[in-house]
Amino acid sequence: MNNNIAEENQNMNQELETQNEVNESEIELTGEETMEELLDIYDSSLSKFEEGQVVTGTVISVGRETVLVDVGYKSEGQISIHEFISEDGNVSVNVGDEFEVMIEVWDEEEETVLLSRDKAKKVKVWDAIKDIYDEDGTIEGVITSRVKGGFSVDIGLLAFLPGSQADLRPIRNMDEMVGQTYTFKILKYNKKRNNIVLSRRVLLENEREKMRSATLSAIENDKVMEGIVKNITEYGVFVDLGGVDGLLHITDISWGRVKHPSELFSVGDHIKVKILSFDFEKERVSLGMKQLTPDPWTTAADKYPIGSKIKGRVVSLTDYGAFIELEEGVEGLIHVSEMSWTRKIRHPSQMVAVGEQVEAVVLDLKPENRRISLGIKQTVENPWEVISQKYPVGTIIEGKIKNITEFGLFIGIDDDIDGLVHISDISWTKRIKHPSEIYKKNDTIQAVVLDIDKANERFSLGIKQTQVDPWETVAERYDVGKEISGVITNLTDFGVFVELEEGIEGLVHVSEISKENIKSPKDHYQIGETITAKVMNINSDERRIGLSIKRLNEDDDDNRYLEEIAKSSKPAASAFGEMLRSNIQEKLEAEKKENE
């Protein structure tokens, strides 16, 4: 019993020493104190605690389940080992570590003290939050995750950051903010409800306002400034110059062609721009980027003189031509009429494609109007300049039919030059309603060169001219007064058409059918019927032969009729009239000789 008391006294003395010699200056021991007096002194020397109080403790041992911490009480406080296990599973506490803890449970009778380091930290954080809020200060935190309506932020405690308070403008990709550390303003807090609401936007607005004032004082026309691309639209780019937004219109981005600003910029890009104009009242700033470099049209006349050959890239096609980029900001137009000497180009896509590199000749240049006229066909020799030498008029050529129309045939010659055989030059004698009655595409034919019009790029051919015109000798084959037979090809109210040979027809006028009055030949004849008639007159120029049926076997009357025609004939006004009068005279003289 006495030994136990002695050991207890010894332990108590050691504990008193480890408590930094508590109240040494106030309590002086004489060594004559009784055990009861010593216990009273010991109890009075120990700190008095309350649940929820935060105190400083020192780790005296680390066990499997608990960590013992000396907080100046007669028995050690206990903290669960789980509060010291890190994410990788290691225990992060050692004997001698000193930190603040909160008294969770303090039972003096049972001499039990349960502590929590985590709760002590939270108490300190709440105290800090109150101080920061009261002093209108800021706090730093890490965005840990996205939650409904915003983000969860670790500031020692979990706080809520509404999405609308995360930035100055809507955030496109909210996941990019997770894991980032930012400074926040505390909007409100409620310790009982464990609720803290933060804002980053308030700080950004304050910062932007400071920048805005500085920017407004620095802005002036023609000044070059750096900005950040804030928004992109189809008509331009909005640039943040530092609290002040300016518009970089699409027409002021580049001297060249820009289809959409997004081809050149992304939100967040840092760019240099020039102040074009500024309205202080409305705070509207017009920006330019192309104005940072000289206008290329100022030197276009020197770079692209008329007649020079250039190379460029096809950037656009229209119904009337192709636009060629010679350099950034300088484009020329190749009209469809300047793409080929021989082909009829309906659309420039028949010759070029967007993105293609082409060679052309400068035809005209008007820098003041920012226009350059170009031509592709001028890069090669004009075939129409040499075609007349290669195929002089009268030359017989051979070629394939490339196209058939109602007015003629197009014959391929060379160098994409087509010759036209008009329907009237297909046959001397045949009546052709459509060339396709005789020919078909890709037929090979011979034709004679009739005319070459270089100015209008026309090449005229003739098929019938490869043969002699049968009407030139028709008077030799059909003497006036001669009886001939033929097949009726057509019946009209004014007469009967009779084919004398292929392509040669004569007309029996209704008055020359019979001595009787005939109202319509259709009542007396049929198409395809063969009849005999007498040749009365021939007009080779007009390709007409006059026939008569009623004058068959009436030689005397016929002679008198012919004499009347010869006597009444005036001097011939044409070769045909002279020939007709001569034929009649010869016929009369021959018949007189026979009668003699």
Side-chain angles (χ1 to χ4, degrees), residues 244-255:
V244 177
D245 292 345
L247 173 62
L248 175 61
H249 197 270
I250 187 171
T251 57
D252 290 310
I253 292 176
S254 170
W255 293 112

Side-chain angles (χ1 to χ4, degrees), residues 49 96 168 175 334 340 347 417 444 475 497 539 543 552 568 584:
F49 302 113
L168 290 173
D175 291 330
I334 303 177
S340 175
H347 194 275
I417 292 180
T444 300
F497 285 93
N539 187 334
R543 299 177 179 267
L552 290 170
S568 61
I584 293 173

